[in-house]
Structures are given as structure tokens and as C-alpha cells.
């Protein structure tokens, strides 16, 4: 495959894969991607650069390498349902979210599907930390398969390079709930934070880049005594699953979920500099397949009526295992939880999969928030949207029940 090199002023040189997929992007998008600096973390790209690149991270060949996640030949149906009647201006909501995609499934039926930012159903948008919840599900699959013996096994049982580090006596359960007690800085606005630095770390010879970085971190408090959000810890989870299953995460995800659960399109997973999927981030998938993953979880992580995780494990994963200092909220096994029984996968810049088992709801969203990675106003608007959808479904149910009683 030939590579074209594009030099633009003082920006770093990019090599762009000359594939049909690359040339399927419009000229303006290709031009914007060509300005993406390879020497700067994506957290600090301009908004136009993010708009262009979030739909094409797996087509910027020197910025990142990736593994394919193959889909099967029998996509699961998403039958249309009646349009969802919402007490809000959906167009205004999409604009405020800078949304690339928004899908609502109710009882397995497609009730709302909208796109923005010149994106559509055939493209792949990056997930950011939505990948954490997918990685967590692979832990459950590895437990059921017997590749992982117990949630109380130590990290160093599977990653011997962590022996002698602060993670030596941390359990898989504590890693999944982010209660390791190890120091970490997840400040997306700080270029010197751990989350901005770890992927640029030069590893020791023969050691995975992430392992090399994480095993040098100090302990702050005893394991199990404090919750602290850490993308690095999810990346350790991914390495652990890789070591346990002896398979690349992309292969394992395809075998356990992507093919049997009926995803429609192949997805991709960005790799670290040492060739390991960055499991706390960066699965590129079609919006409908993100929604299908939510439906798969809503259906109990089952394929053909058979769960891929141990009995009772998914309930533990999707209900609070540790408080996070917010009323009515908690954290499970890489899922954000609500005391109402709903739970969500969340990624920076507006990525999300919200699941409400009580109402049989899945809401999948992709975007590029204009106010930054965590954008508090956009986040609050999204929570309000979830509530509006829940209320609309409740109102439909109440109207249906009232109509039935009157007959």
C-alpha cells in the first residue's frame, strides 16, 4: 500500500493511507485531517480537526495503527417503531450537542435516528471511553470461558511485570471499579496529566508501553478505599484480558460479541505504540452498532439465549460497586450507574450508550462537544434528554393503559 506524505507549514508530517476508504471522505475533511498535529494529543486539537478526525482515526496511518473487529454476515434487525414524541426541539438538541449521531431504541425498535456534522449511518465514529464498558464485558466473557479464574485474582497473576509495583496486590475487581488506590491524574485540560502523557511514554526495552508507564506510579491510599477515575487502569484490564485469553482484544471482541450479536459493520480498535489495543478508548464503530451493543447488554449479554458472562455478573457490573461522590450515582465494572437502575457507558466529547432496563431503552450518541472533553453544559443537556426520553416512554405507557381500560 502506497503512502502519501503531506507537509503543512510547521505541523508534523502525516502519512495518509491511499485507500478507497480514505478517498470516500470529502475533500474538506481530508484537508482538515491533514492539519492534525501528530506531536500533540488529540485532547488539544482544534474543533474542526476533531470533527474531521473523529470519523477517520483508523484512516490516519502514522497517527495510529489499529486492528479490525470483523462483523458477521447476519446483522441483527433494528425494526422501525413509531416516531418518538419528545417535548423538546430535537434539532436544537443535536446542534447543542454537536452530535454526529443519535439513536433511540425502545423495546428493540428504532424510535429515533438522527445525524449531524455531515456524518451518516455508514461511517465509523470513535468511542473514547465507551470502550471501557465493552472491555469490561470481555472480562466477564473471559471469566465464563475460564481464561480468568476469579475477580479476586491479582493483576500481577496475569501481568507478571507488575510484580513489585503499586499494582502487585490490586485485584481485578478493584481494577474494574477503579479503586486501586494508585495515583493518577485524568485532567483532560492538563497536557502534563497522566491521561495526556501515558500513550507518548517511551517504554523500557521489551515491556508493553502501558505496563512500563503504570508500574512506576506510586500508591496514594490502600487498595479498595477510594474511587479514582483512571483510563490507565482500563488499559491494564485490556492487557490482562489479552494475556488471559491469548488473543488480541479485537479478535476476542469479534468472536464473543461483534459476530454473534449481529453487528452490521466491521469496527476497528486503535493500538498503542507496542501493538496492544488501547482498551480504555478508541473503538471506531457505526452508530447503529453502538446501539446494537447497548441492546445486547439490555438483553442480558446473551447470544441465542445463552449469556456470554457468568450468572449474576452483569447485574454486578451495571449496578454501583463504589460511590463516586454524586448523589444517586455510582460506578460498577466500568459502567456509570444510576440509583434508578439505569446505567451508561460514557466517553469524552459526547460519546455515550445509555441503558434503562426498566423501560427497555437504549440511547446511543456520538458527537464532538464544543465546550471541551467533559463540557458540563452539554453533559447536563444530555442528562436532561435522557429524562425526556424516559418520560415520553412513560407517557406512552400511561396513555396505552388508559385506552385499554376505557374499552
Amino acid at each position: 500500500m502506497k503512502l502519501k506524505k503531506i507537509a503543512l507549514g510547521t505541523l508534523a508530517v502525516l502519512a495518509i493511507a491511499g485507500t478507497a476508504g480514505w478517498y470516500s471522505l470529502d475533500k474538506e475533511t481530508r484537508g482538515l485531517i491533514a492539519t492534525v498535529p501528530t506531536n500533540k494529543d488529540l485532547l488539544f486539537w482544534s474543533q474542526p480537526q476533531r470533527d474531521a478526525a473523529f470519523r477517520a482515526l483508523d484512516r490516519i496511518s502514522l497517527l495510529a495503527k489499529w486492528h479490525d473487529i470483523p462483523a458477521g454476515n447476519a446483522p441483527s434487525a433494528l425494526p422501525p417503531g413509531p416516531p418518538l414524541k419528545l417535548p423538546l426541539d430535537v434539532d436544537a438538541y443535536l446542534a447543542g450537542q454537536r452530535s454526529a449521531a443519535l439513536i433511540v431504541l425502545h423495546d428493540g425498535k428504532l424510535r429515533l435516528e438522527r445525524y449531524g456534522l455531515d456524518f451518516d449511518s455508514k461511517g465509523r465514529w470513535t468511542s473514547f471511553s465507551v470502550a471501557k464498558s465493552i472491555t469490561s464485558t470481555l472480562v466477564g466473557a473471559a471469566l465464563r470461558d475460564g481464561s480468568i479464574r476469579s475477580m479476586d485474582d491479582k493483576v500481577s497473576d496475569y501481568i507478571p511485570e507488575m510484580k513489585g509495583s503499586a499494582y502487585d496486590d490490586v485485584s481485578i475487581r478493584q481494577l474494574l471499579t477503579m479503586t486501586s488506590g494508585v495515583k493518577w491524574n485524568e485532567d483532560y485540560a492538563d497536557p502534563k496529566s497522566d491521561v495526556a502523557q501515558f500513550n507518548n511514554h517511551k517504554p523500557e526495552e521489551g515491556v508493553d508501553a502501558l505496563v512500563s508507564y503504570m508500574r512506576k506510579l506510586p500508591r496514594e491510599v490502600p487498595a479498595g478505599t477510594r474511587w479514582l477515575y483512571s483510563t490507565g487502569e482500563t488499559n491494564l484490564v485490556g492487557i490482562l484480558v489479552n494475556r488471559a485469553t491469548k488473543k488480541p482484544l479485537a479478535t476476542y471482541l469479534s468472536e464473543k460479541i461483534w459476530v454473534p450479536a449481529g453487528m452490521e459493520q466491521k469496527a476497528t480498535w486503535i493500538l498503542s505504540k507496542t501493538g496492544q489495543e488501547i482498551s480504555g478508548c478508541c473503538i471506531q464503530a457505526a452508530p447503529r452498532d453502538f446501539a446494537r451493543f447497548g441492546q445486547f447488554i439490555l438483553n442480558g449479554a446473551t447470544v441465542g439465549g445463552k449469556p456470554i458472562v457468568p450468572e449474576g455478573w452483569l447485574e454486578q457490573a451495571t449496578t454501583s460497586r463504589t460511590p463516586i461522590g454524586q448523589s444517586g450515582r455510582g460506578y460498577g465494572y466500568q459502567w456509570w450507574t444510576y440509583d434508578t437502575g439505569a446505567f451508561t457507558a460514557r466517553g469524552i466529547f459526547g460519546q455515550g450508550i445509555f441503558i434503562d432496563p426498566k423501560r427497555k431503552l437504549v440511547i446511543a450518541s456520538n458527537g464532538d462537544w464544543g465546550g471541551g472533553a467533559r463540557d458540563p453544559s452539554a453533559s447536563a443537556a444530555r442528562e436532561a434528554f435522557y429524562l425526556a426520553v424516559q418520560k415520553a416512554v412513560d407517557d406512552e405507557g400511561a396513555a396505552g393503559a388508559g385506552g385499554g381500560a376505557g374499552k
Side-chain angles (χ1 to χ4, degrees), residues 144-177:
R144 186 171 179 89
D145 287 348
S147 301
I148 293 175
R149 296 178 297 273
S150 166
M151 289 284 286
D152 297 314
D153 284 354
K154 304 304 182 186
V155 173
S156 53
D157 292 341
Y158 298 85
I159 311 175
E161 302 96 306
M162 301 307 287
K163 289 187 182 296
S165 76
Y167 284 99
D168 197 353
D169 62 348
V170 172
S171 70
I172 296 173
R173 190 185 310 275
Q174 289 164 340
L175 207 58
L176 279 177
T177 55

Side-chain angles (χ1 to χ4, degrees), residues 1-6 13-19 21-23 25 29-36 38 56 59-63 66:
M1 180 183 296
K2 279 193 169 183
L3 298 178
K4 291 186 176 182
K5 290 188 177 180
I6 303 174
V13 173
L14 290 177
I16 306 300
T19 65
W22 167 252
Y23 287 108
L25 298 172
T29 297
R30 297 201 306 267
L32 284 167
I33 290 173
T35 72
V36 171
T38 58
R59 282 172 275 184
I60 307 175
S61 62
L62 281 193
L63 185 65
W66 58 90

Side-chain angles (χ1 to χ4, degrees), residues 97-118:
Q97 292 285 295
R98 301 201 76 258
S99 184
L102 176 65
I103 293 175
V104 177
L105 303 181
H106 176 225
D107 200 15
K109 295 181 176 62
L110 193 60
R111 301 291 308 274
L112 176 69
E113 182 175 26
R114 299 288 290 275
Y115 295 94
L117 303 183
D118 295 320

Side-chain angles (χ1 to χ4, degrees), residues 177-179 224-229 319-332 335-337 339:
T177 55
M178 296 190 182
T179 56
T225 64
R226 178 202 65 186
W227 177 81
L228 179 69
Y229 190 77
T319 54
S320 180
R321 302 294 100 194
T322 180
I324 62 172
Q326 296 180 35
S327 178
R329 306 287 180 87
Y331 201 70
W335 290 93
W336 302 87
T337 67
D339 288 355

Side-chain angles (χ1 to χ4, degrees), residues 127-139 175-176 178 184 186 188 195 198 227-235 237-238 269 278-283 290 293 313 331 333-336 344-348 374:
S127 69
F128 293 106
S129 292
V130 169
K132 290 180 168 69
S133 305
I134 297 175
T135 296
S136 166
T137 309
L138 295 183
V139 172
L175 207 58
L176 279 177
M178 296 190 182
W184 178 266
E186 187 89 9
Y188 298 118
V195 75
F198 79 90
W227 177 81
L228 179 69
Y229 190 77
S230 169
T231 291
E233 296 195 343
T234 314
N235 293 338
V237 171
W269 208 330
I278 304 175
S279 48
C281 178
C282 308
I283 292 173
F290 282 127
F293 177 75
W313 189 88
Y331 201 70
Y333 298 158
Q334 310 279 299
W335 290 93
W336 302 87
T344 185
R346 290 201 319 228
I348 55 174
R374 281 180 167 153

